């Protein structure tokens, strides 16, 4: 019998707790399951230190998966590990891009019956991991605005008598609101983008956005790196040069369809090591906002761990 250590957020809402309990019922029918609800990094580190050879199952979204992978990576305990994912987050972008069902019951079935397949990881020059995607420029600006709106809408959902399941949908509105607000007056930045030692864009012209994808989606489904695949053993890099107002309309439409990489002002390459430097910029890495900074390097760690995925 497989042994699972399920990591959940102790501060999750009632709807998530109900969904998790239903998923645990499925897991317990075929495995030995321990649930560990954590409310901080110290509790998470302590719990994972006791994981032994059990399969660690993350009950949460991209942020929760990021925290678990970061903890294991920091303890040199990630290589050879198998993880499972029960998508209980707001966006669930990594699950969406890797083939993990967004339906929690189906995801629980996958944890029991899926195939452990090696997936890649992004690690920066401070040994901080990126599980899914990191982007700078307009995308990060949209994430900053969206995070504020998500917090506001989440507060409304917590105090208003809303139906179960509606509260999470309300929180998701933060992402499109952030994108809409930023689209009106998007920031540009002069930064250099170097891929595998080759400068693909220099500081002599502005860019709208650079996105580095291990996974394809951000913001609850936007395919910002449409060709990114965590099993590909390469990182997907999309650089969008500064666009005029009319050109941005067409670009936004293509971005919504995931065809923006065909735009004349978009550079689309792949590589193993990416450096971004120049004037101060902000980042959104797995949904976490960071900045301003003037330099950051990321490298691919191929087959960093295994994830339970469809056969």
């Amino acid at each position: 019998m497989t042994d699972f250590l399920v990591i959940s957020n102790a501060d999750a809402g009632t709807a998530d707790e109900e969904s998790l309990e239903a998923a645990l019922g499925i897991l317990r029918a075929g495995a030995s399951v321990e649930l560990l609800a954590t409310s901080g990094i110290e509790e998470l580190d302590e719990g994972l230190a006791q994981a032994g050879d059990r399969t660690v199952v993350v009950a949460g979204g991209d942020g929760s998966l990021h925290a678990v992978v970061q903890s294991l990576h920091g303890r040199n305990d990630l290589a050879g590990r198998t993880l499972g994912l029960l998508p209980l987050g707001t966006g669930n972008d990594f699950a969406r891009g890797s083939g993990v069902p967004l339906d929690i019951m189906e995801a629980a079935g996958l944890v029991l019956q899926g195939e452990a397949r090696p997936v890649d990881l992004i690690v920066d020059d401070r040994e901080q991991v990126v599980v899914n995607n990191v982007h700078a420029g307009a995308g990060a600006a949209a994430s900053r605005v969206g995070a504020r709106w998500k917090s506001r809408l989440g507060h409304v959902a917590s105090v208003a008598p809303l139906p179960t399941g509606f509260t999470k949908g309300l929180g998701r509105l933060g992402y499109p609101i952030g994108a809409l607000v930023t689209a009106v007056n998007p920031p540009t930045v002069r930064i250099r983008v170097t891929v595998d030692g080759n400068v693909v864009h220099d500081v002599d012209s502005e860019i709208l956005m650079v996105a580095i994808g291990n996974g394809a989606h951000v913001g609850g489904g936007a395919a910002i790196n449409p060709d990114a695949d965590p099993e590909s053993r390469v990182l997907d890099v999309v650089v969008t040069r500064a666009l005029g107002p009319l050109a941005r309309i067409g670009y936004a439409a293509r971005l919504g369809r995931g065809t923006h990489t065909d735009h004349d002002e978009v550079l689309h390459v792949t590589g193993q090591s990416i450096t971004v430097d120049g004037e101060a910029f902000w980042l959104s890495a797995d949904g976490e906002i960071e900045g301003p900074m003037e330099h950051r390097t990321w490298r691919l760690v191929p087959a960093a761990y295994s994830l339970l995925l469809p056969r």
Side-chain angles (χ1 to χ4, degrees):
M1 178 178 287
T2 303
D3 291 336
F4 292 133
L5 174 62
V6 179
I7 305 291
S8 70
N9 182 357
D11 301 320
T14 302
D16 282 348
E17 290 177 354
E18 293 173 353
S19 296
L20 176 57
E21 193 57 40
L24 291 176
I26 292 177
L27 296 183
R28 287 172 177 143
S32 173
V33 178
E34 178 186 352
L35 174 64
L36 176 63
T38 65
S39 57
I41 297 300
E42 287 188 8
E43 288 185 7
L44 176 61
D45 289 342
E46 291 173 1
L48 289 174
Q50 305 302 317
D53 60 358
R54 289 178 291 179
T55 296
V56 175
V57 179
V58 181
D62 295 342
S64 297
L65 181 61
H66 173 104
V68 168
V69 172
Q70 180 66 61
S71 179
L72 292 171
H73 174 75
R75 296 174 51 250
N76 295 314
D77 192 23
L78 184 61
R81 278 275 177 197
T82 295
L83 304 183
L85 182 57
L86 299 174
L88 287 173
T90 303
N92 297 315
D93 288 303
F94 189 71
R96 189 187 315 271
S98 59
V100 174
L102 299 186
D103 180 271
I104 192 68
M105 307 300 278
E106 293 181 15
L110 176 63
V111 169
L112 282 178
Q113 301 175 7
E115 177 184 7
R117 301 213 303 260
V119 294
D120 304 332
L121 184 67
I122 305 174
V123 179
D124 72 13
D125 44 17
R126 306 162 307 143
E127 291 303 311
Q128 297 298 301
V129 307
V130 178
V131 172
N132 183 52
N133 194 288
V134 56
H135 50 98
S143 294
R144 291 177 68 193
V145 175
R148 291 196 293 269
W149 274 98
K150 179 182 174 184
S151 177
R152 294 169 186 167
L153 293 169
H155 175 71
V156 171
S158 68
V159 299
L162 298 172
T164 299
F166 185 77
T167 55
K168 187 175 292 187
L170 188 62
R172 286 197 189 99
L173 288 177
Y175 296 121
I177 290 174
L180 180 61
V181 171
T182 305
V184 174
N185 186 26
T188 57
V189 63
R190 291 184 181 271
I191 52 178
R192 179 184 300 107
V193 182
T194 305
V195 179
D196 292 344
N198 300 311
V199 176
V200 299
H201 181 89
D202 216 332
V203 295
D204 54 352
S205 60
E206 297 178 325
I207 70 164
L208 183 67
M209 180 179 64
V210 56
I212 302 163
N214 185 44
H217 301 89
V218 301
I224 194 171
N225 289 86
D227 294 339
D229 181 347
E231 298 181 80
S232 67
R233 311 300 179 254
V234 294
L235 298 178
D236 189 82
V237 184
V238 173
V239 181
T240 304
R241 302 178 182 92
L243 302 170
L246 291 178
R248 287 200 300 268
I249 296 174
Y251 175 79
R254 292 190 182 197
L255 181 61
R257 299 191 300 267
T259 60
H260 56 290
T261 53
D262 297 330
H263 195 285
D264 291 341
E265 294 301 320
V266 174
L267 176 67
H268 187 201
V269 296
T270 59
Q272 306 267 325
S273 175
I274 296 90
T275 296
V276 174
D277 66 294
E279 67 180 23
F281 57 92
W282 288 78
L283 289 178
S284 176
D286 286 344
E288 293 297 317
I289 312 301
E290 181 185 354
M293 67 196 70
E294 297 179 352
H295 182 279
R296 186 58 48 87
T297 294
W298 299 268
R299 72 181 188 276
L300 173 75
V301 180
Y305 62 99
S306 291
L307 185 67
L308 290 167
L309 296 172
R311 295 179 180 276

